Amino acid sequence: MDLTNKIEELNEAKHKLLLIIGAPGSGKSKVIREYSQETGIPIIDLDKIFINTAPDQLMNEMKNFLKTYNQKVLLLDNKKILYAKNSTIDMMEFLKEISQEIPVLATWNGKIEDGQLYHIRKDTPEDLIYPVNNEEFQYMLC
């Protein structure tokens, strides 16, 4: 699958969000890593960049970060900060909001089943479930 073409297709969308969806070990990180190596665009690790940021300040800090980010695509792999136990951040809403500014390619630990997108979180008792709406995000399965 050609990620470059899929990302270019996003440019006219309100939410320029492409999720790489799969179970743990399915190759999501490999796909984003290979794209990073091909394009020279670094993978952003939110857990490292915003380690000392309070959850309620994360969106503001991310918007400040994007002001100086000079790549054509934002690649996100590690995002545990978005679903930490003490976080009130809705990961999908966070990704959709930043993807209004820049195309976002993000890994997503989960599956699509019966028209629902599941986010599997191993450190919490329940999965997050979102309706699949192709106006809000595009996806590829690993």
Side-chain angles (χ1 to χ4, degrees):
M1 175 158 303
D2 186 1
L3 283 178
T4 302
N5 288 340
K6 287 196 76 71
I7 291 168
E8 286 176 9
E9 291 172 8
L10 294 175
N11 282 324
E12 299 303 316
K14 178 180 178 182
H15 302 287
K16 301 165 191 56
L17 177 58
L18 176 59
L19 301 177
I20 303 170
I21 303 169
S26 64
K28 301 177 302 293
S29 293
K30 180 181 179 191
V31 169
I32 202 169
R33 197 170 41 251
E34 287 175 352
Y35 181 79
S36 172
Q37 291 169 347
E38 289 171 13
T39 62
I41 299 172
I43 299 170
I44 303 302
D45 185 333
L46 295 181
D47 297 343
K48 290 181 181 173
I49 293 176
F50 300 113
I51 191 167
N52 295 317
T53 303
D56 63 336
Q57 293 300 308
L58 189 58
M59 182 55 77
N60 289 335
E61 291 298 318
M62 187 67 195
K63 287 182 177 182
N64 287 335
F65 171 81
L66 288 175
K67 289 177 185 175
T68 60
Y69 183 75
N70 59 0
Q71 301 290 334
K72 63 179 183 172
V73 179
L74 181 65
L75 305 180
L76 298 176
D77 194 6
N78 294 319
K79 309 168 297 306
K80 289 180 185 170
I81 192 170
L82 297 179
Y83 54 93
K85 289 181 182 178
N86 61 342
S87 176
T88 58
I89 297 170
D90 181 312
M91 186 164 69
M92 179 60 78
E93 291 303 317
F94 180 89
L95 293 173
K96 286 179 0 189
E97 186 166 340
I98 62 174
S99 73
Q100 291 182 56
E101 306 297 323
I102 184 172
V104 175
L105 176 60
T107 56
W108 187 276
N109 191 31
K111 63 183 178 180
I112 291 182
E113 189 174 273
D114 297 326
Q116 302 290 317
L117 171 64
Y118 290 80
H119 182 231
I120 300 168
R121 305 177 303 164
K122 66 179 181 179
D123 296 330
T124 59
E126 74 281 340
D127 298 335
L128 296 176
I129 303 172
Y130 301 91
V132 173
N133 180 339
N134 289 342
E135 292 181 12
E136 296 186 346
F137 64 89
Q138 299 296 313
Y139 65 89
M140 61 178 281
L141 301 174
C142 276

